Amino acid sequence: MHTPEQSQLGKSSAYVDQYDASLLFPLPRLSKREEIGAAINPPFFGADLWTSFEVSWLNLRGKPQVALAHFTIPCETPNLIESKSFKLYLNSFNNTRFADASEVLARLRTDLSEATWRGSEAQGSVGVRLLQAEQFDAQQVHELDGLLLDRLDVECTRYTPAPELLRANHDEAPVSETLVSNLLKSNCLVTGQPDWGSVQIQYSGAQIEQEGLLQYLVSFRNHNEFHEQCVERIFMDIWTRCKPIKLAVYARYTRRGGLDINPFRTSHPGALPANVRTARQ
């Protein structure tokens, strides 16, 4: 079983520019889910939406091709992909010749599906979409919709996750709200390097106290955990503390190494959000 410490994070890495699927480094989701009480039958669905801005390969005549790529990794997969290994894997396409973009797409889908489902009796597929140069101009920038929590003038003194800051008013009629913040920051689990993000919280149920929610989100500031793990921790803390009827948590993190990761978790299955970048991404 792989551990984060065994990955290439924080280590000098050789630049491999010939296709090599073995560079992908899957990490089990289970251990972190055990920490938050979501190891068995987690109360959420969703996916990790990745965007790569640095995808390139050679055509059969040796001419470089460039593309953007969207990846959809279901949260039901037993493994996530460590992001540096993902970058190294994508770089391995750079000097490899492929017949066309469809061959590249098929290779990406096969390799990522194998890595994320590795060790499971169930087998599924990872979603992959390539956007070539003629589609670049149609790409949008849009901020997360919702009421901005950052408008609140609150005192913040907690910088490690403090779920006790979460409160909801169960004495009043239930509400449906969408709340957002751009103040989410956490750190890489291994290197401690900062990860910057925006987060959207949609819920129905007892009204969540906004000041406490903002203070809680800020409390991740010095916390070391991968993006996907932070979002699942936020979901579980709100789910258990505030007891909403419905809940969805969506975070968009700024890119590192040409990759951004945008985890989405929801209590009720439905359509995934559009993978549209924010201004900071």
Side-chain angles (χ1 to χ4, degrees), residues 25-199:
F25 194 86
L27 289 170
R29 298 185 190 267
L30 183 60
S31 60
K32 279 293 181 177
R33 287 182 175 174
E34 287 175 338
E35 287 186 17
I36 60 174
I40 301 175
N41 297 324
F44 50 73
F45 307 87
D48 305 322
L49 310 178
W50 296 65
T51 308
S52 175
F53 295 86
E54 300 175 5
V55 179
S56 185
W57 65 93
L58 304 179
N59 69 12
L60 293 182
R61 302 188 66 189
K63 181 182 176 183
Q65 310 293 297
V66 295
L68 303 176
H70 291 304
F71 305 98
T72 302
I73 300 178
C75 72
E76 291 79 18
T77 60
N79 307 308
L80 56 85
I81 299 296
E82 186 278 305
S83 60
K84 183 176 180 181
S85 80
F86 204 157
K87 175 187 176 184
L88 293 171
Y89 163 73
L90 291 173
N91 282 340
S92 79
F93 284 69
N94 289 352
N95 280 343
T96 305
R97 298 188 182 210
F98 294 93
D100 52 30
S102 63
E103 184 183 353
V104 175
L105 187 147
R107 194 70 57 88
L108 291 167
R109 181 179 290 122
T110 296
D111 294 343
L112 290 166
S113 297
E114 188 283 324
T116 54
W117 287 98
R118 188 179 302 168
S120 172
E121 294 182 1
Q123 291 296 314
S125 181
V126 165
V128 182
R129 187 162 64 101
L130 284 179
L131 304 175
Q132 295 186 267
E134 60 271 18
Q135 299 169 284
F136 289 175
D137 193 45
Q139 300 310 295
Q140 298 178 338
V141 175
H142 184 73
E143 296 305 299
L144 294 172
D145 293 320
L147 179 62
L148 188 65
L149 292 170
D150 306 346
R151 76 191 191 283
L152 301 171
D153 183 18
V154 299
E155 181 179 12
C156 298
T157 60
R158 307 288 294 276
Y159 301 113
T160 56
E164 61 273 17
L165 294 169
L166 294 167
R167 294 176 291 273
N169 187 350
H170 292 274
D171 296 327
E172 301 291 338
V175 301
S176 294
E177 288 188 317
T178 301
L179 306 172
V180 298
S181 174
N182 297 316
L183 302 187
L184 181 62
K185 174 193 170 290
S186 53
N187 301 318
C188 173
L189 179 63
V190 176
T191 66
Q193 293 296 305
D195 296 320
W196 306 92
S198 298
V199 61

